[in-house]
Amino acid sequence: MERGEPAPDFELPDQDGRPVSLTGLLREGPVALFFYPAAMTAGCTAQSCRFRDLAAEFAELGASRVGVSTDSVAKQREFAERNAFDYPLLSDPDAKVTAAYGVARGVAFAPTRRQTFVIGADRRIIEVVKSEIRMNVHADRALAALRRQAADPAG
C-alpha cells in the first residue's frame, strides 16, 4: 500500500465487540489506522499510548485514531482498559484486513508488521509510516501528514 492508493474498506469488531468500518470512520474525517503485532507487549503499548497521549492534536485536525491487531476482542478490551485508550482497538483474528493492507507477517509470535496508514476522507492513503523499533514515530508522522494535508488540501 502506497500514498495515493485507495485504502481497502473493512468491518471489524472493536474491543467491545461492536462493528467498526472504515467507511463509517471516514464520515467523521481522516483516520490514522495503525497496525501492531500484539496487545500488551512493550512496543505495542508504547506505540498505542503515544496515539492516546496525542488525542487533542488528532482531534484538532478532525482525525480518528484506530488500532488493529490479530488479537481477540477480549484481549483488545483488556489492553484498552489497562491503558485507558480513548479510541477503538479492532480485532482481526483471521488476518483478512491485515493481509489486505499488506502488513501480515505470517510469524506466530508477531503476526503483523508495525505500520500506520493515514487515510483521507476520500479513502486515499495520505501517508504510510513503517518502523518496527521507533514506536513514537507512528503517531508523530501521522500527525505531520495530517497537518500537511490540512494546510494544503489539494496537494
Side-chain angles (χ1 to χ4, degrees), residues 116-133:
T116 299
F117 298 89
V118 182
I119 305 167
D122 63 356
R123 238 182 79 211
R124 296 270 169 205
I125 296 175
I126 297 169
E127 183 70 76
V128 180
V129 182
K130 300 175 184 180
S131 180
E132 294 287 343
I133 57 172

Side-chain angles (χ1 to χ4, degrees), residues 17-142:
R18 292 184 302 246
V20 174
S21 70
L22 180 60
T23 297
L25 291 165
L26 291 173
R27 285 189 198 115
E28 309 272 322
V31 173
L33 181 70
F34 67 97
F35 290 84
Y36 55 94
M40 294 184 284
T41 58
C44 298
T45 300
Q47 177 189 17
S48 301
C49 285
R50 183 70 173 164
F51 276 99
R52 178 201 62 204
D53 295 346
L54 294 174
E57 288 85 343
F58 280 97
E60 184 177 289
L61 295 163
S64 301
R65 300 149 294 140
V66 181
V68 181
S69 76
T70 58
D71 293 301
S72 68
V73 167
K75 191 163 186 183
Q76 297 286 47
R77 182 173 38 256
E78 183 181 354
F79 189 36
E81 289 172 355
R82 263 191 203 183
N83 295 285
F85 294 140
D86 61 339
Y87 55 83
L89 296 179
L90 306 183
S91 175
D92 184 24
D94 58 11
K96 285 185 180 175
V97 174
T98 302
Y101 278 80
V103 297
R105 190 188 327 254
V107 178
F109 66 91
T112 307
R113 284 180 173 73
R114 188 181 315 281
Q115 286 189 28
T116 299
F117 298 89
V118 182
I119 305 167
D122 63 356
R123 238 182 79 211
R124 296 270 169 205
I125 296 175
I126 297 169
E127 183 70 76
V128 180
V129 182
K130 300 175 184 180
S131 180
E132 294 287 343
I133 57 172
R134 294 175 37 218
M135 307 313 163
N136 288 351
V137 76
H138 291 270
D140 295 348
R141 288 191 184 162

